[in-house]
Amino acid sequence: FEEEHDVAAERKRVEAMLASGAAGAAGDGSPAVLIDSLRKVFPARGRMAPKVAVVDLSLGIPRAECFGFLGVNGAGKTTTMSILTGDYLPTAGRAWIDGHHVVHDRQRVRERMGYCPQADPLLELMTARETLYMFARLKSLPEASLPSVVDALLEKVTLGPYADRVCGSYSGGNKRKLSLAIALVGSPAVIFLDEPSSGMDPVSRRHMWDIIMRERTLRSIVLTTHSMEECEALCT
């Protein structure tokens, strides 16, 4: 197929960054996310032909930017995120997060990223406070700092009144807030948000937008959505 001119220009920009050695670099001058010709093909099953889910994607995302991944169902948004977060292996191509290769240096990648998936990753018999303690320990935060870190996250996403209720009793909007708080644990360099405001009422959505707008000054955010309004409100 014929590439559009802006897609071709981004591919050339990524190739220039790779030639300059930006891929393995970490720090202020390097891109937070760098993707080079990423491709994912799901194999044939029975009579179904192989499915090409991501087609040779090249993309560089600077630090302190909110990048909007806008597309229809089946465009490859969630598959791309799944590769970057380590759920899937790419069929071809390479990607780096904060200078670390997403396949060969996966442990370091997971230390430098946060992820809010489409399906809330919650254990329904745990409270919000217990959930955040668990994820903070998984991120190897110092034990002495956990109470202050967890309290700050609960306040940031306005879950203080519900902090000690089990997650299974939450509304859909409060579950999304807790999923966002999990993604923010450990102050990651990059946060991936897969349709973070789905199922939220307008007031909760507006509050989540405010949180994301504050966080985008501190770290890179990659946001998937079906809403052009959300992209226009949040993305730099």
Side-chain angles (χ1 to χ4, degrees), residues 142-182:
E143 192 70 23
S145 71
L146 295 190
S148 58
V149 167
V150 169
D151 286 344
L153 286 169
L154 289 169
E155 183 178 351
K156 182 176 289 188
V157 299
T158 63
L159 274 180
Y162 312 100
D164 298 304
R165 297 185 191 177
V166 293
C167 303
S169 67
Y170 287 3
S171 66
N174 281 343
K175 287 180 178 179
R176 296 309 283 162
K177 288 180 184 178
L178 181 53
S179 296
L180 176 61
I182 290 169

Side-chain angles (χ1 to χ4, degrees), residues 107-154:
Q107 184 64 38
R108 295 300 301 275
V109 166
R110 286 176 173 161
E111 292 173 2
R112 304 300 300 135
M113 55 155 268
Y115 183 33
C116 174
Q118 270 182 329
D120 296 306
L122 307 177
L123 299 173
E124 295 200 339
L125 295 179
M126 292 179 70
T127 67
R129 192 182 306 278
E130 290 167 345
T131 300
L132 291 174
Y133 266 92
M134 178 180 72
F135 278 94
R137 288 179 175 128
L138 288 171
K139 283 283 184 85
S140 300
L141 270 63
E143 192 70 23
S145 71
L146 295 190
S148 58
V149 167
V150 169
D151 286 344
L153 286 169
L154 289 169

Side-chain angles (χ1 to χ4, degrees), residues 1 18 33 54 96 108 119 141 143 147 164 171 200 215 233 236:
F1 61 93
L18 290 169
V33 179
V54 180
W96 295 263
R108 295 300 301 275
L141 270 63
E143 192 70 23
D164 298 304
S171 66
M200 282 190 156
E215 291 297 322
T236 53

